[in-house]
Amino acid sequence: MSTTPQATPRRATITDVAREAGTGKTSISRYLNGEMSALSSELRARIEAAIARLDYQPNQMARGLKRGRNRLIGMLLADLTNPYSVEVLQGVEAACHALGLMPLICHAANEVEMERRYLQLLTTYRVEGVIVNALGVREETLRPVGGGGIPAVLVDRLVEGLVADMVGLDNRAAAELGTRHLLDQGFDEIWFVVQPFEQVSSRQLREVAFRDAMRAQAAAHGTKRKAIARGHTLVLNLADPAEVERSLAELDRTLDAVGSVGVIGHAGEPNQAARVALFAANAPVALCLALHLKARYGADWQARVALLSIDDPDWAELAGITTIRQPTYEIGYRAVEFLHERIEGVQTTARDCLLPGELIVRASTSR
Amino acid sequence: MSTTPQATPRRATITDVAREAGTGKTSISRYLNGEMSALSSELRARIEAAIARLDYQPNQMARGLKRGRNRLIGMLLADLTNPYSVEVLQGVEAACHALGLMPLICHAANEVEMERRYLQLLTTYRVEGVIVNALGVREETLRPVGGGGIPAVLVDRLVEGLVADMVGLDNRAAAELGTRHLLDQGFDEIWFVVQPFEQVSSRQLREVAFRDAMRAQAAAHGTKRKAIARGHTLVLNLADPAEVERSLAELDRTLDAVGSVGVIGHAGEPNQAARVALFAANAPVALCLALHLKARYGADWQARVALLSIDDPDWAELAGITTIRQPTYEIGYRAVEFLHERIEGVQTTARDCLLPGELIVRASTSR
DNA sequence: CTGTTAGCGCGTTCAG
DNA sequence: CTGAACGCGCTAACAG
């Protein structure tokens, strides 16, 4: 029970092993680096034994210092609270594992200052590269990476003036996919709800694609659709409760104006009243909307308004909302692969890897 | 646009700075370590300038090598997919920040082999300590930490034969709190649903506390309650879909037997049929249950069975289920504080820090 | 106050 | 095949 917590007994060094094996450090080093061809099998056996006996483990820091590379890469995440981040992380970890890299995970928690500090810290630890899911698009703080600095690859969003590989969702296609789905389902009042997007390229792209898709529909109208569906963009600043309040109030006015929508599912008979749908730009927005609607219209809120979201959080199935799932795991995996290539010296111009989203239709948007 | 991605121009070293400032390395080192009292203001100014001009950043690896401490600690997480982990992580990060530590976050993704590898890796990077949210309770793989090895503090669960500080929820109190609440609300059929618990101490404690609370209620019966509530424990092995299927089927049989429970909310009139409640030992279990019930009984499943869960994931409010929220942030924070003390050489016997959970009552369990 | 001299643990020539 | 010697970037005595 009462094990004496004695001070760590100083780990064995390569010198200790050499002495124990009755040889020089060089041979040990060679053994560690797999240069077996340069060791007599007899010596090798002695080394093996010595290592086991001393429970020796090479000091990565020291090796890194010497050879100039420590197999460390930084993974800078804007917000771990977003399931998206965690999922991407899984891919990153798998890839690192496969490539012999060690990811230093840093969580900026939506604070620019944190991001700056972590980047500085990573630099200080001489990571060989960084994968960054930046907070914003115009960050001076990211100057030390990419371009002339340390290799970097961007995830999900671009950063102005920072030339680097980037991998993420094909936002344009995804937003189109979602919009078309809602249109096909006959919704004629569609609100695209998104966090402030001037600062985040992926949000910008989604918003633009939404508007474009709505416009295209309007242009093609008359061919098969009877009425032109109306599209709106609503900004929801999740960082500011007061603003959220105001935005939601605006939304409520529209919903109230539309009045009591007939119960959906009436033998396929299309409703006379406008059918309204909300298109959330990501999961946090979707959650905020769902919570609000539930509070306002009760458990039955989905009968009144449909909800579709980019991102497919675990509660989506429970709430029965339609989603566009991002290939998060692959995004993370590819990011590491790109970075690894850069670290190995690949010099091609900055690459973009846009992966497709997958529409998952649930009760919320189907009759 | 086409910035030439030139190879990293080799960072400046302390020697470069010394030359640039026309002085010796020692003075630079002193400057870096804040020993300002030992530097003439003139020299200090020159150093400052040189550092700025060269954009010098001290190499943490090299420092660590020399002084024997690198300010790195390991954070080993069993499952980042569990919101609990992410929340604890926030506390850990905040504390590290405050104490000048850098956490290396490692995600075992529920695989013992991963856990082993990461532990080995951390050791290899000479972290000064580790915070471990272990996969299981009887892991040989954790031998290198705690006791004679590197300082460690456990989070949420104990590990057999590993003497170390531990911080987590007061499981006994939390399970009692939940059970009493359900009893007070008049439920007479309560199922405690938990993942396989032989391997995880926190699950064990919760399950035992649940049974104890049910037994206590039975003993005290006759004083104020009319009927003795019945308690059951159901094991849900989320890692094995087939087993999950079987367990849920067992649950279904009970629910079906209880038959169509009268609609709750009938003017406070207690129902004649048994009222059944599910007590999920953690969020993943709760989600699994909720998904199943919804699939089986439709969107209105909560009218048929109540759900209470330890952990308070973001979707709990949306689903309207009652929860017991863990003080996750503080758990993480305290863990780092403990570890820091150990690193600084504190030698007291292993400490336990049990923090209380908070009951959050929602529609699911209130009439 | 300041510079010199040794290493920290390891990899790497370069001669045996 | 093997080992001695040097240096990575930095800190810590030890003198001036």
Side-chain angles (χ1 to χ4, degrees), chain B residues 81-154:
Chain B
T81 266
N82 189 335
Y84 169 85
S85 302
V86 175
E87 291 171 22
V88 169
L89 198 50
Q90 323 238 71
V92 167
E93 284 165 337
C96 281
H97 181 136
L99 295 172
L101 263 20
M102 172 77 171
L104 292 197
I105 297 158
C106 303
H107 179 203
N110 287 320
E111 295 192 37
V112 183
E113 178 55 17
M114 276 283 128
E115 188 176 80
R116 203 190 54 69
R117 280 183 39 119
Y118 270 126
L119 212 53
Q120 147 97 28
L121 214 52
L122 289 173
T123 268
T124 251
Y125 277 102
R126 296 295 188 270
V127 294
E128 299 183 39
V130 287
I131 295 178
V132 9
N133 173 226
L135 275 177
V137 70
R138 211 187 330 264
E139 289 166 76
E140 260 322 296
T141 143
L142 289 178
R143 202 180 29 114
V145 305
I150 124 183
V153 9
L154 268 15

Side-chain angles (χ1 to χ4, degrees), chain A residues 112 115-117 119 138-145:
Chain A
V112 183
E115 189 177 79
R116 203 190 53 69
R117 281 183 39 116
L119 212 53
R138 210 188 330 263
E139 289 167 77
E140 260 322 296
T141 144
L142 290 178
R143 202 179 29 113
V145 305

Side-chain angles (χ1 to χ4, degrees), chain A residues 11-32:
Chain A
R11 299 212 65 95
T13 77
I14 200 174
T15 309
D16 299 329
V17 180
R19 193 185 323 111
E20 181 80 10
T23 178
K25 304 193 298 180
T26 313
S27 299
I28 311 298
S29 176
R30 289 201 176 108
Y31 175 87
L32 294 176

Side-chain angles (χ1 to χ4, degrees), chain B residues 214-227:
Chain B
M214 290 304 288
R215 199 175 320 121
Q217 161 264 173
H221 121 280
T223 60
K224 36 189 175 184
R225 292 185 51 78
K226 36 196 153 185

